[in-house]
Amino acid sequence: MELTRLIVKGGVLSPGELREIVNMALDQGLETISFGSRQDIIFPQGFQNIDKDNNGKHHFVFPDEHSGNNIVSSYVSTDVLRNTPWLTGNKFLYVLEQFKSQPDLKVNITDPKQQLVPLFTGHVNFIASEHEDYWYLYIRLPKWERMEVYPVLIYSWDIAEIYYEIEKIVREESCGIDMIFSLVSEALDTNNRTIDKPLNVPFYPFPYYEGMNRMGIDQYWLGLYWRNNLYDLQFLKEMCDLCFECKIGKICITPWKSFIIKGIPKDKKLEWEKFLGQNGINVRHSLLELNWHLPVATEWALNLKTFLVRTLDQFDISTYGLTFGISDYNRDGHYFTSIVVEKNELPKDLESIKIRDTFNVLHAKNFDPNSREYIVHAQDVDKLELPNILIELSRKYFNQLGDSIVETNNESTVIKKENKIQDVYQCQECLTIYNSEYGDISQEIAKGTLFKNIPEDYCCSLCEAPKNNFIALTSEKQEIQ
């Protein structure tokens, strides 16, 4: 199904921009909008093809068009999840501002230390390095069979210029990574840097990204999720007004059909909670329900997810850290979830006969989507068999957790365990970890502070549960061999 998309560069927009979009949809008699996997806004069927000359600053891609790709960025995770120290929210905004015209190719601009936004789902993927203002560049153009690494690190202020030159080159001729590098170097005077070590993408369990959560000392961030991905326009309009009142400048869309509001003042927290309650908004979905990626406005996929979530919940199965995707067999992109349930295409000669759908189940290597390698676990299985297969994979994931392989620049580096017990505690409410090796910067707890020595009034930095809500874990320190 082709729907109208509105491009939201980097998944970042102001409350004023969102309110304008909401008013536009309300004027057309719509009641809801949805969010897409590339942090864009999706309009349901019935959205009128407005005058393209009067779009203003908004870039629409209508059902009959095949151009216009959104730039995905992990700006949404800055300040609320782990991040590369030099990569601030302002840095993201400066880089995004360089893109003046709409890219033809899919562009990802991400921090490898976060898990919320996928790193490698674009045609052109800029991934932050440990060197301030320098980025790895991974390219996989539509007809390429594999992803290639650009041979140098890219300077922050050259990102857009290099992208547009690559777009121009591949539009005119088909070429490989070496030719692209040669032609870009010939055309542009850029501030590159030598790659001194391959990209290291650490594996972390997938984060919880919903509800009201601590952000620094005197602010909060709020993650909102609708299970049917149909966001009520009247609610969004009132929410934008509340953002104005709180002087909140940005709203961030995630690739998981949800959005995050950062910087809610501490003295406005109660007002926001009252606003959510008055609108009947649930902000504590389980991890099992949150971590799914589905195609937009696809009823069979939403029904299948509901069936699987209810069945797994009935058996009390833990899926903490795992993500799931539902897809058609002929999907023309790259997966970015730990486990994928893939619906098989009905053979042409059987289309007139009513037969049950069958599915394939795949999982990412080491259950890490950033490995970019998927393993077929089961093929041609019935819907009723899927819960048992997912339970089997969940157990497999937890059995091998901590024994994973880190993929760095197509090389495998084995991780071995060193039997050094760390001082690690976990919040029973939201599963946040306190590790004495790192302390808690958000609450001014210094690195190396043992849990027993932190103040008794300490509370969870995410959900504010008290110190006595934490339980001790046995953790083994990992060391690269």
Side-chain angles (χ1 to χ4, degrees):
M1 186 190 315
E2 292 291 336
L3 300 170
T4 299
R5 295 185 296 125
L6 187 148
I7 300 301
V8 181
K9 187 163 60 177
V12 188
L13 74 170
S14 69
E17 289 172 317
L18 180 57
R19 198 176 193 278
E20 184 181 338
I21 293 162
V22 165
N23 285 335
M24 189 184 307
L26 286 170
D27 288 344
Q28 297 209 20
L30 300 181
E31 296 181 353
T32 60
I33 57 175
S34 300
F35 298 122
S37 60
R38 290 197 64 80
Q39 298 172 297
D40 40 9
I41 291 176
I42 311 292
F43 293 94
Q45 287 182 313
F47 185 83
Q48 298 300 312
N49 195 329
I50 62 176
D51 185 353
K52 297 181 185 180
D53 294 329
N54 294 320
N55 282 351
K57 58 188 175 183
H58 301 305
H59 183 93
F60 288 89
V61 179
F62 296 94
D64 59 341
E65 297 176 340
H66 299 286
S67 63
N69 280 299
N70 202 26
I71 301 171
V72 163
S73 85
S74 61
Y75 172 89
V76 60
S77 67
T78 55
D79 302 319
V80 299
L81 301 173
R82 61 175 64 84
N83 65 285
T84 298
W86 63 264
L87 190 50
T88 62
N90 283 338
K91 190 84 70 175
F92 268 115
L93 295 178
Y94 290 144
V95 170
L96 290 169
E97 183 58 29
Q98 297 176 46
F99 287 82
K100 303 298 184 184
S101 60
Q102 193 58 40
D104 289 339
L105 301 171
K106 294 177 182 177
V107 179
N108 285 26
I109 304 173
T110 54
D111 184 339
K113 291 190 183 300
Q114 56 80 43
Q115 291 286 311
L116 189 61
V117 179
L119 308 184
F120 300 107
T121 55
H123 298 124
V124 180
N125 305 280
F126 296 94
I127 302 170
S129 76
E130 294 180 3
H131 299 292
E132 183 168 355
D133 275 323
Y134 282 91
W135 306 69
Y136 295 94
L137 172 54
Y138 281 72
I139 301 175
R140 182 173 182 171
L141 298 177
K143 294 183 180 179
W144 286 13
E145 293 185 359
R146 55 176 289 176
M147 190 163 287
E148 301 285 356
V149 188
Y150 200 72
V152 294
L153 296 178
I154 307 298
Y155 186 49
S156 289
W157 316 123
D158 293 332
I159 283 179
E161 190 177 21
I162 287 176
Y163 166 75
Y164 287 123
E165 190 62 32
I166 291 173
E167 182 184 276
K168 175 182 165 186
I169 290 168
V170 300
R171 190 186 296 143
E172 295 174 354
E173 58 182 305
S174 176
C175 50
I177 189 71
D178 293 334
M179 180 63 74
I180 288 175
F181 175 63
S182 177
L183 293 173
V184 170
S185 301
E186 185 179 318
L188 303 176
D189 181 17
T190 54
N191 185 16
N192 301 329
R193 178 171 180 149
T194 303
I195 297 177
D196 54 0
K197 56 182 175 181
L199 171 65
N200 177 29
V201 182
F203 175 77
Y204 300 106
F206 194 77
Y208 192 85
Y209 58 89
E210 199 199 16
M212 189 76 73
N213 306 281
R214 284 283 292 271
M215 177 181 168
I217 298 173
D218 57 357
Q219 291 185 324
Y220 289 81
W221 64 270
L222 172 66
L224 291 175
Y225 162 83
W226 268 237
R227 60 164 56 95
N228 61 3
N229 193 22
L230 295 173
Y231 288 81
D232 182 78
L233 291 173
Q234 198 58 48
F235 169 81
L236 292 176
K237 184 176 181 179
E238 293 175 19
M239 185 197 73
C240 289
D241 291 339
L242 190 51
C243 285
F244 290 139
E245 184 183 324
C246 296
K247 297 182 172 57
I248 291 169
K250 301 294 180 187
I251 295 172
C252 315
I253 302 171
T254 81
W256 299 87
K257 319 294 198 300
S258 61
F259 65 94
I260 285 175
I261 301 167
K262 296 186 274 188
I264 296 173
K266 187 175 183 179
D267 61 356
K268 294 288 187 179
K269 180 190 176 191
L270 183 59
E271 188 172 342
W272 274 87
E273 290 177 338
K274 181 179 178 180
F275 168 68
L276 295 173
Q278 288 173 336
N279 284 275
I281 306 302
N282 176 21
V283 290
R284 282 296 171 192
H285 291 93
S286 70
L287 278 166
L288 173 58
E289 182 162 1
L290 277 176
N291 299 346
W292 289 75
H293 177 254
L294 278 65
V296 176
T298 307
E299 188 175 359
W300 71 262
L302 184 60
N303 290 340
L304 178 59
K305 177 205 165 179
T306 301
F307 163 72
L308 293 173
V309 167
R310 286 178 178 171
T311 307
L312 293 177
D313 186 55
Q314 180 183 348
F315 286 97
D316 204 21
I317 299 299
S318 172
T319 59
Y320 172 63
L322 287 171
T323 54
F324 300 85
I326 294 177
S327 171
D328 285 313
Y329 180 76
N330 59 355
R331 182 180 185 273
D332 60 348
H334 306 299
Y335 300 122
F336 61 91
T337 59
S338 310
I339 297 172
V340 177
V341 177
E342 192 179 66
K343 181 182 176 184
N344 284 317
E345 191 174 21
L346 190 66
K348 295 286 185 185
D349 54 350
L350 296 179
E351 287 181 347
S352 60
I353 305 173
K354 189 173 182 180
I355 60 175
R356 293 169 70 95
D357 291 321
T358 62
F359 301 87
N360 305 323
V361 181
L362 304 83
H363 69 86
K365 185 176 181 182
N366 305 313
F367 295 92
D368 180 3
N370 288 322
S371 69
R372 293 162 283 147
E373 182 180 336
Y374 280 83
I375 299 163
V376 177
H377 181 77
Q379 287 183 290
D380 300 318
V381 298
D382 187 81
K383 170 184 172 180
L384 297 178
E385 297 177 66
L386 291 175
N388 285 334
I389 292 172
L390 297 188
I391 290 170
E392 180 184 328
L393 285 174
S394 174
R395 289 171 179 157
K396 182 177 179 181
Y397 162 72
F398 284 109
N399 285 338
Q400 71 173 55
L401 191 61
D403 299 328
S404 60
I405 304 294
V406 179
E407 294 292 331
T408 55
N409 200 14
N410 298 324
E411 295 177 1
S412 297
T413 306
V414 180
I415 292 181
K416 74 173 183 179
K417 291 182 177 180
E418 175 189 318
N419 293 323
K420 180 178 179 180
I421 304 302
Q422 290 181 284
D423 184 58
V424 179
Y425 284 73
Q426 185 175 45
C427 173
Q428 297 178 75
E429 182 69 27
C430 68
L431 307 180
T432 293
I433 297 291
Y434 176 85
N435 189 331
S436 63
E437 185 176 349
Y438 306 108
D440 187 344
I441 298 175
S442 69
Q443 299 192 62
E444 301 182 349
I445 306 294
K447 294 180 180 179
T449 305
L450 296 177
F451 187 80
K452 67 180 181 181
N453 294 332
I454 63 178
E456 289 305 312
D457 60 356
Y458 175 82
C459 61
C460 175
S461 57
L462 184 61
C463 71
E464 298 188 291
K467 179 180 177 181
N468 61 14
N469 198 60
F470 283 72
I471 58 172
L473 299 179
T474 299
S475 175
E476 294 176 324
K477 190 172 182 180
Q478 293 180 336
E479 181 181 88
I480 292 182
Q481 180 175 296

